[in-house]
Amino acid sequence: MYQIRSESAKTLIEDRNIRLPRFQRKQTWDIKKNFKLCISIFKNYPIGICVINEEKGKKRNTKWLLDGRQRRNALLLMLENPEEIYIWSRAFLKIKNGDQPDEIEEKFWIAIDEHLEKDEGHEDEQENMSSKESTDDNSHTEDIDYEDYDDDDGYLEGTDEIAATIETKPKFKQDKDDLKLLLKIILVCHNKKRNGTGFSIPFNFSRQIPNLEYIEHDSGYIKLNGKKLVSFIRNFKKNCYDEEIEDISKQDFMDYLISRYSLEDRIINNLEKLVNQNWERIEERIEIVELIENRLRDTLIGIIDLKNATSTDAQNIFKLINSEGTDLTAVEILSAKPSWNRKIVYPSLSLEQHVNELYNVMNIKREGVVRWDFPATLLGRLDNLNFIFKKLSYSKETEFKTRVTLGFKILGAIFEKGITKDKISSVSRNSQLTWEEDIEQLVRDFNDLGKIISEHSFFKFLLSWNTCLMELTSDTISINFLVMVYKDWIQRGRPLGNNEMKKVQRNSVILFDKMIYEYVTKLWRGSSDSRLADNIEKFNVSKTFDPIRADRWTSLLKEIFEHNTLHDEVISVKILKPILYYYYCLAEFDGPNNKNIPIEIDHIIPQASFEASSIDNKIVQHNLYNLALLPKRENISKGNKKLIAINDPWLIRMIEKYTSLKEDEFPKFSSVQSIEELRRRREPLFMEAFSTGRDKLINGR
């Protein structure tokens, strides 16, 4: 399944056969962490492990970098441009433009000592630093998102056994000589000016050679591009090698410039003076480029090679070597599967727009649209299903993950009758699926179906409370609801405006009722994936949409009111939340219908009153009859205030409307001693809603 080996960091960087998964988390290494990697490289410490999965293809194999993107990226930046190291050092060492070399040197050694947590001359401690390096600070995370299977690993913990199998170099003398090379790079690049840094400025021949490839123009100013300058230096070095020149001289450099740019005599004279004047600095910078290249060639990095690993295997291996990182998701692994990377030849305009949005957020360049992009953007393309699925933002990591993953699960449920990793993975290999046609049709169907169902009065009440089935139950239950209603609608011939459409609407409210009941009675706990698959496999209109018996709801409510338990579990606001929202919809209480007005579950008699009281059973404070949904406007909310302390007219109106208590009763229901009276007042309201109100909803009466 896998093998462990070591490889030169330079070889890893330059391996063009390695591809990044299409779906990746954002860069989570900040520039300080990049500089810590530099320290490890120049101290000859281990720099971690990369995980590569080789997928067998029909024509050629593909190597996917599952873990190590950010480390590899930092190494590449080092190789391409010494100025990157300088930029990182400025943040790590707190270097200012006006700092003198001796000030930078002092900052450097102080910061290095603090980072390595050692005292001068403690050789034993230095030799053991490799283990300490593995627990390096992982806190420098910016906006995390999905990367290449989380590279926010710094220096991996728990890899002692792996490291022991990797070929190591002979031990270097543990002193400051190697770190002096890192300091030299920083000093050479200091300081940063408008047109370049100390690294590039000696190569400013723009007046003599305007067409130099590393010269750029920015707002009328000449700017020296360090990365392009390194490429120029490497071309010069290659030319010297081809000409069998071993000891490079300034004349060799001049000959190269004259030959490369076909310079005239009058230019050559001026250029020669400039090169003579700066030759020592030029030569030093050429050596710096070679120094970094050699250092990366000598630096070994651990490689774990996987061979056609399954999604589960890749996840488990990743967890074992990276216990401190964020778990891989099946969705992330799928982005490195060839079957999911097949191009869509004629993507719709809608798909293109949503794919652009996704990759702009991830800050990743892409070429075309591939199969993976369909499910990744699916949820964002569903306009009329906000009564089922929560509005999820790409800007929040957890919501980002859920938004993308839900799309894969929905397609798995529709086309493979399940949402396990294997079922989702199989979607891309479904030979009966025509991507450009079938999934675009599915999007249209979902939007048509959503529009029909959302026109039902019950779901209008639900939406007025700024909530949805997903927020009240779970992701899997929400998918189950969508798939069951969709299958019903398809079997009826996709009705849009007849009696069959009304039957679909009625079945949708029956199923919503059923999902709330099954959720609060824990029928989905522990085996939701298999329960969903079973529901899909055994789909039958009469059984799927068979209503929960009224007496089962009545018994459930009596248990709550009389025993302060729900399905033998002590009540809490969290487990009663779905029932509370459902009650307000059954009782036809219209919410604020405004996304800018948040909803809070408030205790009518506040919790603080119970905590300060001598009442024996304080759990009654969380019973349904002491809970209410109350809108919140700006800084106006009930919070933990007693009713008698409420003086805002708008909030008073809201409390009257949503608790069925009058303002003149507020003093009475501000005391814990009135909890039983509150029960007598409000319990019948719940029972009425779940009997008459529910019967009217389910049976259309």
Side-chain angles (χ1 to χ4, degrees):
M1 179 183 295
Y2 73 93
Q3 66 176 11
I4 303 171
R5 60 183 174 84
S6 63
E7 183 171 275
S8 162
K10 187 171 182 291
T11 302
L12 175 71
I13 295 168
E14 295 177 338
D15 189 345
R16 295 185 179 181
N17 293 320
I18 293 177
R19 295 181 61 185
L20 297 178
R22 188 173 181 86
F23 183 49
Q24 306 154 20
R25 288 187 178 91
K26 296 175 186 174
Q27 288 285 357
T28 59
W29 279 24
D30 67 5
I31 56 180
K32 291 183 180 179
K33 183 166 285 188
N34 287 344
F35 191 72
K36 290 178 182 178
L37 180 66
C38 292
I39 294 173
S40 290
I41 288 171
F42 283 89
K43 282 295 293 178
N44 301 293
Y45 288 161
I47 61 168
I49 291 172
C50 291
V51 181
I52 296 174
N53 186 32
E54 187 170 352
E55 290 277 355
K56 184 177 292 186
K58 291 182 180 180
K59 296 182 179 179
R60 59 183 177 84
N61 293 351
T62 305
K63 294 159 71 175
W64 298 93
L65 184 64
L66 298 188
D67 178 41
R69 170 200 172 203
Q70 295 179 84
R71 182 183 294 102
R72 185 173 183 256
N73 182 66
L75 293 169
L76 178 60
L77 292 174
M78 288 176 62
L79 181 65
E80 290 181 336
N81 188 3
E83 292 175 337
E84 295 288 348
I85 298 175
Y86 174 62
I87 292 170
W88 303 340
S89 73
R90 284 176 66 96
F92 192 85
L93 307 177
K94 300 179 181 178
I95 295 174
K96 299 177 182 177
N97 259 355
D99 285 350
Q100 297 301 308
D102 57 341
E103 293 177 294
I104 294 174
E105 185 171 358
E106 182 179 4
K107 288 181 177 182
F108 179 83
W109 293 118
I110 290 174
I112 292 294
D113 284 345
E114 288 178 354
H115 172 62
L116 299 179
E117 297 179 355
K118 70 174 184 62
D119 293 322
E120 182 76 10
H122 283 201
E123 298 295 327
D124 292 341
E125 191 172 352
Q126 274 188 308
E127 291 179 3
N128 291 323
M129 277 307 300
S130 59
S131 62
K132 185 170 280 295
E133 190 78 42
S134 69
T135 59
D136 196 8
D137 177 20
N138 287 339
S139 65
H140 302 293
T141 56
E142 295 166 353
D143 267 350
I144 301 176
D145 113 29
Y146 278 147
E147 181 245 28
D148 46 302
Y149 313 139
D150 192 291
D151 198 47
D152 186 27
D153 44 11
Y155 305 91
L156 301 176
E157 292 185 354
T159 58
D160 291 344
E161 292 183 5
I162 295 173
T165 68
I166 297 174
E167 178 188 355
T168 56
K169 297 179 294 183
K171 284 189 177 180
F172 285 78
K173 181 182 178 182
Q174 293 290 320
D175 56 25
K176 292 184 175 180
D177 286 348
D178 292 320
L179 287 174
K180 285 180 180 178
L181 299 178
L182 178 57
L183 175 59
K184 180 179 180 180
I185 294 170
I186 296 168
L187 292 173
V188 161
C189 294
H190 188 65
N191 73 49
K192 188 173 175 60
K193 298 181 179 179
R194 181 189 291 271
N195 63 336
T197 70
F199 172 72
S200 59
I201 287 174
F203 292 85
N204 187 2
F205 314 131
S206 57
R207 291 184 179 180
Q208 292 77 24
I209 314 176
N211 59 333
L212 279 169
E213 55 262 50
Y214 54 83
I215 298 294
E216 297 178 346
H217 297 273
D218 183 18
S219 302
Y221 289 91
I222 291 294
K223 186 175 181 181
L224 303 164
N225 184 305
K227 180 178 176 181
K228 292 180 180 179
L229 173 58
V230 169
S231 179
F232 166 85
I233 291 172
R234 289 209 173 100
N235 286 332
F236 167 62
K237 292 279 292 181
K238 182 179 183 303
N239 180 78
C240 292
Y241 177 81
D242 292 341
E243 297 292 331
E244 298 183 352
I245 300 171
E246 294 184 4
D247 297 324
I248 296 172
S249 68
K250 61 184 173 184
Q251 188 57 51
D252 297 323
F253 186 69
M254 276 297 304
D255 290 343
Y256 177 74
L257 293 176
I258 294 169
S259 172
R260 184 177 180 86
Y261 300 103
S262 303
L263 302 180
E264 299 177 2
D265 290 342
R266 61 182 180 83
I267 294 175
I268 294 173
N269 291 334
N270 291 333
L271 180 61
E272 191 167 23
K273 291 178 183 178
L274 191 58
V275 171
N276 285 336
Q277 180 182 338
N278 289 288
W279 176 245
E280 287 187 7
R281 298 171 70 201
I282 291 171
E283 189 176 31
E284 184 178 41
R285 281 141 185 80
I286 293 172
E287 291 174 355
I288 286 292
V289 171
E290 188 172 4
L291 183 156
I292 294 173
E293 191 170 336
N294 291 339
R295 177 62 63 169
L296 291 177
R297 183 183 292 113
D298 293 340
T299 297
L300 296 179
I301 188 166
I303 305 291
I304 297 180
D305 283 322
L306 309 182
K307 298 291 184 181
N308 296 307
T310 66
S311 298
T312 301
D313 289 334
Q315 280 184 301
N316 289 333
I317 290 169
F318 182 86
K319 288 177 183 177
L320 288 172
I321 67 167
N322 190 11
S323 60
E324 295 301 311
T326 304
D327 291 346
L328 278 78
T329 66
V331 169
E332 290 174 287
I333 295 172
L334 292 181
S335 72
K337 296 288 183 182
S339 59
W340 280 101
N341 280 273
R342 291 175 186 165
K343 287 194 173 183
I344 302 300
V345 181
Y346 301 112
S348 68
L349 179 61
S350 170
L351 178 60
E352 280 274 15
Q353 290 171 341
H354 283 84
V355 170
N356 284 338
E357 179 190 3
L358 173 64
Y359 286 91
N360 284 339
V361 170
M362 293 194 294
N363 195 26
I364 293 172
K365 293 182 180 179
R366 67 178 179 88
E367 293 182 5
V369 175
V370 298
R371 289 181 177 181
W372 187 91
D373 297 329
F374 269 110
T377 60
L378 179 63
L379 207 65
R381 301 179 66 197
L382 304 182
D383 300 325
N384 301 314
L385 296 179
N386 51 346
F387 62 93
I388 303 177
F389 299 109
K390 176 184 176 183
K391 182 74 172 177
L392 298 167
S393 170
Y394 279 145
S395 62
K396 298 179 181 178
E397 182 199 357
T398 53
E399 291 190 6
F400 185 105
K401 180 188 295 186
T402 303
R403 179 171 173 173
V404 172
T405 303
L406 275 174
F408 281 85
K409 288 185 175 182
I410 290 171
L411 291 194
I414 293 293
F415 296 112
E416 294 293 332
K417 300 181 179 180
I419 60 172
T420 61
K421 297 169 189 173
D422 291 339
K423 292 290 186 182
I424 293 171
S425 181
S426 298
V427 173
S428 66
R429 301 188 298 274
N430 188 324
S431 59
Q432 297 179 341
L433 181 59
T434 304
W435 287 79
E436 289 91 335
E437 297 176 8
D438 293 343
I439 298 183
E440 288 297 335
Q441 182 62 53
L442 184 69
V443 172
R444 291 192 293 270
D445 284 348
F446 280 161
N447 284 330
D448 288 342
L449 177 62
K451 184 177 180 181
I452 291 168
I453 297 176
S454 61
E455 288 174 352
H456 192 285
S457 59
F458 173 80
F459 292 105
K460 288 182 179 178
F461 281 117
L462 182 69
L463 288 171
S464 75
W465 287 102
N466 302 336
T467 194
C468 60
L469 182 62
M470 177 179 161
E471 285 193 314
L472 299 180
T473 56
S474 70
D475 297 357
T476 306
I477 288 178
S478 302
I479 295 171
N480 181 84
F481 178 87
L482 172 64
V483 175
M484 297 299 108
V485 175
Y486 174 71
K487 290 175 76 69
D488 181 34
W489 186 63
I490 292 294
Q491 283 193 11
R492 295 180 189 278
R494 295 184 171 93
L496 296 176
N498 53 28
N499 287 334
E500 290 299 304
M501 182 198 76
K502 291 181 179 179
K503 289 179 182 178
V504 172
Q505 288 179 324
R506 177 177 176 271
N507 283 345
S508 68
V509 295
I510 289 173
L511 189 60
F512 183 94
D513 174 86
K514 198 172 187 177
M515 295 297 93
I516 295 292
Y517 182 85
E518 290 185 354
Y519 176 76
V520 298
T521 53
K522 309 174 190 175
L523 293 179
W524 285 81
R525 186 173 294 182
S527 59
S528 58
D529 289 4
S530 59
R531 187 175 183 85
L532 170 59
D534 191 56
N535 287 345
I536 296 173
E537 190 66 37
K538 297 178 180 177
F539 175 79
N540 177 281
V541 171
S542 60
K543 291 183 178 179
T544 300
F545 301 104
D546 183 28
I548 299 291
R549 295 198 319 268
D551 64 300
R552 296 175 73 179
W553 269 112
T554 302
S555 298
L556 189 69
L557 290 174
K558 284 183 177 179
E559 180 190 353
I560 294 169
F561 294 137
E562 295 175 5
H563 303 290
N564 297 302
T565 60
L566 195 165
H567 207 64
D568 297 326
E569 183 177 332
V570 176
I571 59 170
S572 66
V573 174
K574 181 179 179 180
I575 64 175
L576 293 180
K577 175 182 175 180
I579 299 176
L580 186 64
Y581 272 91
Y582 190 25
Y583 158 72
Y584 275 89
C585 295
L586 288 174
E588 299 187 345
F589 280 106
D590 195 16
N593 222 352
N594 187 333
K595 292 290 184 183
N596 296 319
I597 299 181
I599 306 299
E600 293 183 331
I601 298 179
D602 266 313
H603 293 75
I604 297 173
I605 301 175
Q607 298 179 78
S609 298
F610 284 90
E611 293 166 5
S613 74
S614 59
I615 188 171
D616 293 332
N617 189 10
K618 290 183 171 59
I619 197 65
V620 296
Q621 66 183 294
H622 301 312
N623 211 300
L624 281 172
Y625 49 78
N626 193 40
L627 300 178
L629 295 182
L630 294 176
K632 178 181 178 181
R633 191 176 70 184
E634 298 170 355
N635 295 321
I636 303 172
S637 66
K638 179 186 177 297
N640 211 26
K641 296 189 288 287
K642 295 181 180 180
L643 293 181
I644 196 173
I646 306 296
N647 53 27
D648 181 84
W650 177 82
L651 184 55
I652 290 172
R653 290 198 306 273
M654 295 298 100
I655 293 172
E656 285 186 318
K657 178 179 180 180
Y658 296 122
T659 66
S660 300
L661 302 176
K662 300 300 181 183
E663 184 180 1
D664 59 7
E665 297 177 293
F666 284 9
K668 178 199 298 187
F669 293 111
S670 294
S671 169
V672 172
Q673 306 308 318
S674 300
I675 188 67
E676 281 302 315
E677 174 65 18
L678 186 62
R679 174 182 174 179
R680 285 191 291 271
R681 284 287 302 276
R682 299 194 77 226
E683 183 178 326
L685 301 177
F686 284 90
M687 300 303 290
E688 174 69 13
F690 279 87
S691 55
T692 305
R694 180 176 173 274
D695 181 64
K696 175 183 174 183
L697 174 69
I698 298 300
N699 298 304
R701 292 196 288 269

